[in-house]
């Protein structure tokens, strides 16, 4: 089985798991499976109820992603890096965080003062780091321990 086939299988297992979850909750939702950048991507779109599955700042979404990864691991025997998005929240959050990273990097470049952002999830920190790397003259690193890990943006040199 190729790596691509394995990711498709992960997506199928995750899709079945999430379909059962939606049935139990009596929520409407369409499940879309994709493979992107070496990871299975599962998206649920549809009814208004889905916002409840995102939760405050994506907390429920993160928990569901972990449960889905565990379900995939249990059935496939492989650790999964599957990414779950619900009602487009993760994409909207990615856009928002990318803007935050770029704006913060430009502020640091202008002021010379380092900036420590509020604690973020690993997903959120990665998006911010990616945005900061696109601004010449600044860098970023994560500091602290989970769940209080923060991105610090600083001027180079």
């Amino acid at each position: 089985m190729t790596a691509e086939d394995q990711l498709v299988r992960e997506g199928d297992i995750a899709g079945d798991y999430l379909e059962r979850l939606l049935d139990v909750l009596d929520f409407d939702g369409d499940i879309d499976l994709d493979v992107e950048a070496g990871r299975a991507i599962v998206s649920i779109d549809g009814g208004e109820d889905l916002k409840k599955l995102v939760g405050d700042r994506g907390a429920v979404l993160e928990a569901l992603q972990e449960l889905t990864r565990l379900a995939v691991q249990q059935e496939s025997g492989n650790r999964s890096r599957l990414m779950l998005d619900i009602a487009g929240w993760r994409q909207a959050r990615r856009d928002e965080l990318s803007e935050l990273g770029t704006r913060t990097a430009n502020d640091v470049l202008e002021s010379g003062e380092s900036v420590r952002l509020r604690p973020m999830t690993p997903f959120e920190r990665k998006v911010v780091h990616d945005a900061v790397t696109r601004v010449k003259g600044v860098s970023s690193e994560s500091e602290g321990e989970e769940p209080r890990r923060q991105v610090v943006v600083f001027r180079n040199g």
Side-chain angles (χ1 to χ4, degrees):
M1 183 178 286
T2 67
E4 177 93 6
D5 291 340
Q6 177 61 37
L7 292 173
V8 169
R9 182 164 181 263
E10 282 185 21
D12 288 340
I13 294 168
D16 291 345
Y17 174 78
L18 291 164
E19 190 78 49
R20 289 192 307 271
L21 177 73
L22 290 175
D23 286 347
V24 167
L25 296 171
D26 197 27
F27 284 7
D28 289 327
D30 297 320
I31 297 176
D32 183 46
L33 310 172
D34 200 5
V35 173
E36 186 179 297
R39 91 174 28 189
I41 309 287
V42 180
S43 302
I44 305 175
D45 291 301
E48 263 308 297
D49 291 336
L50 294 180
K51 288 191 178 23
K52 295 174 187 169
L53 296 181
V54 172
D56 184 40
R57 293 187 51 222
V60 176
L61 171 60
E62 290 294 331
L64 281 175
Q65 177 174 276
E66 276 310 304
L67 288 172
T68 305
R69 286 176 173 177
L70 287 171
V72 169
Q73 182 174 346
Q74 184 176 16
E75 190 164 325
S76 71
N78 297 323
R79 185 159 149 55
S80 175
R81 291 180 50 239
L82 173 137
M83 179 78 73
L84 176 62
D85 193 7
I86 299 175
W89 184 86
R90 203 177 284 276
Q91 183 58 53
R93 185 74 179 129
R94 181 179 283 122
D95 295 344
E96 188 181 306
L97 289 164
S98 188
E99 161 69 23
L100 172 66
T102 301
R103 189 176 61 245
T104 302
N106 286 322
D107 289 349
V108 167
L109 194 60
E110 193 173 302
S111 73
E113 299 289 319
S114 296
V115 173
R116 178 179 299 271
L117 299 173
R118 65 168 178 63
M120 296 180 187
T121 66
F123 158 75
E124 292 172 321
R125 289 193 312 270
K126 180 180 181 339
V127 173
V128 171
H129 286 306
D130 289 349
V132 170
T133 61
R134 291 191 291 270
V135 178
K136 291 190 183 340
V138 293
S139 297
S140 63
E141 58 187 40
S142 293
E143 292 181 356
E145 298 296 319
E146 295 292 354
R148 310 270 329 138
R149 208 152 158 77
Q150 299 170 283
V151 172
V152 180
V153 182
F154 55 91
R155 206 154 151 185
N156 294 338

